[in-house]
Amino acid sequence: MANIILVGSQWGDEGKGKVVDIYTEFSDVVVRFQGGGNAGHTIVIGDEQIILHQIPSGILHQNKLCIIGNGMVLDLETLTEEINLLKQNGYFSDNSQLFISEEVHLVMPYHRLLDVGKEQKAGDKKIGTTGRGIGPAYSDKINRTGIRFIDLFDKHVFKEKLELNLAEKNPYLVNQLGQAECDSQELFEKFTALGKNLRPHLANISVKINQFIEDGKNIFFEGAQGALLDVDHGTYPYVTSSSTIAGAACAGCGIGPTKIDGVVGIVKAYSTRVGEGPFPTEQHNEIGKMLQEQGKEFGATTGRPRRCGWVDTVALKHAVRVNGFTSLALTKLDVLTGMEKIKICRSYRLDGREILDFPANIKEVADCEPVYEEVEGWNQDITKARHNEELPPATRNYIKILQELLGVEFILISVGAKRDDTILLKNPFEL
Ligand code: IMP
């Protein structure tokens, strides 16, 4: 048995959905521990594509338990839509597959209005959020004014919290942000009804997960976003509002760090970013366009085109360090097929200095000039490769250089969008 965390090592969208789906096969329980509806995990099964935002991807497998951890912020309206869509498509027929933390904070409609309104007001200083209310919901949590899932089941507590929140937020929404105000009674009724429907999933997930660990189950912690969007270690303030690194998994579901056996980092073979913020290896040219088109780099949650560029090992080494990766999975390698030359950023140059550690100052990050090593590309179709030896020498060379620079072993290489288009080198649950 093993308890494994999997997190993104760049700006999110590393292709976690597919790797999570594969690793779910080896696990008994899948846990989401941070983020919320801002995430979008795309999974391709046969010719079908499914995008999950809040429910762990394990839900697509029968007999796997899925847990929504206290560290997430949960939108019950979109969760209900997600559940209905899964059921319509023949998934999630067993309600006992899903547990929702009683402590998880809720994303309320006023959080979405605040998110969108603040972004509009910020003009060119905007963060480029997904507009899902994530920042305002986490702000309320830290501010100790948030509404938790369990509050829905005590109507006095819920009503009081709702009224306090709206007394503060409605004037700000209307007068400062030009948004609509929210009606307390309407929200009370709507969320009481949503809570009633979802109540069978309510659980003390800390007790449950610790029991699963004692029972020797394989537990898989599914991260969302990526290291450079982490609220502490990312390109602040152009980040999301949660801790996205491996260390967040324990706090986000109520287990101790001593229970974790391994941390897998997902590395996309090139870099992408959605929203604003510095991105040293971004390519505003044909290369960027080609990566965007070949990699189908459009946001799973918002449909926004993703900014694209070369792989950046300065940023990746930062992710290796803050996460303590024990192994790596390389994704979307096939997207590079057809490039004559491929560039790998090995360091940055700033005012004549060589920079090896990702700077905390985002102005510096923006001014850094990447120093590249150029390697040969390949033209052969690699999607049918199932063993390293079946990859062209240039592809193997690219993987070798990355592995040497990052100092962590690749245990999975994804060579196409489908579940089978994968070279599985090691099972992290058997390490
Ligand atoms: P928020 O999480 O909606 O507040 O957005 C903050 C920043 O994180 C924006 O730049 C978003 O584009 C980015 N972001 C949030 N979730 C994801 C994700 O799942 N993938 C990639 N970027 C994300």
Side-chain angles (χ1 to χ4, degrees), residues 11-14 16 32 35-41 115 119 127-136 138 224-226 229 237-242 272-277 299-302 304 306-307:
W11 281 279
D13 307 318
E14 295 92 353
K16 286 186 288 292
R32 274 277 312 264
N38 48 354
H41 286 177
D115 193 359
E119 283 281 276
I127 304 289
T129 72
T130 60
R132 297 299 191 268
I134 305 299
Y138 275 117
Q225 291 89 41
L229 289 173
Y238 297 98
V239 291
T240 190
S241 299
S242 63
T272 61
R273 163 159 218 175
V274 224
E276 309 303 314
T301 300
T302 58
R304 290 181 290 178
R306 297 177 185 141
R307 300 154 62 191

Side-chain angles (χ1 to χ4, degrees), residues 68-120:
I68 288 181
N70 55 274
M72 290 183 70
V73 284
L74 189 63
D75 183 328
L76 297 187
E77 291 179 274
T78 53
L79 176 72
T80 303
E81 285 168 19
E82 213 169 301
I83 289 176
N84 291 341
L85 196 72
L86 280 167
K87 289 189 186 270
Q88 279 160 22
N89 283 287
Y91 296 103
F92 190 26
S93 50
D94 176 6
N95 273 336
S96 64
Q97 241 189 306
L98 179 69
F99 298 104
I100 303 175
S101 163
E102 51 195 3
E103 295 170 324
V104 69
H105 279 251
L106 302 183
V107 177
M108 301 299 285
Y110 49 81
H111 291 133
R112 285 200 297 262
L113 291 171
L114 286 166
D115 193 359
V116 172
K118 285 170 99 169
E119 283 281 276
Q120 277 171 8

Side-chain angles (χ1 to χ4, degrees), residues 390-411:
E390 291 160 25
L391 291 171
T395 321
R396 274 187 275 158
N397 185 45
Y398 185 65
I399 299 170
K400 185 167 160 273
I401 295 173
L402 281 184
Q403 185 158 296
E404 277 168 8
L405 285 171
L406 302 179
V408 187
E409 181 188 20
F410 284 111
I411 60 164

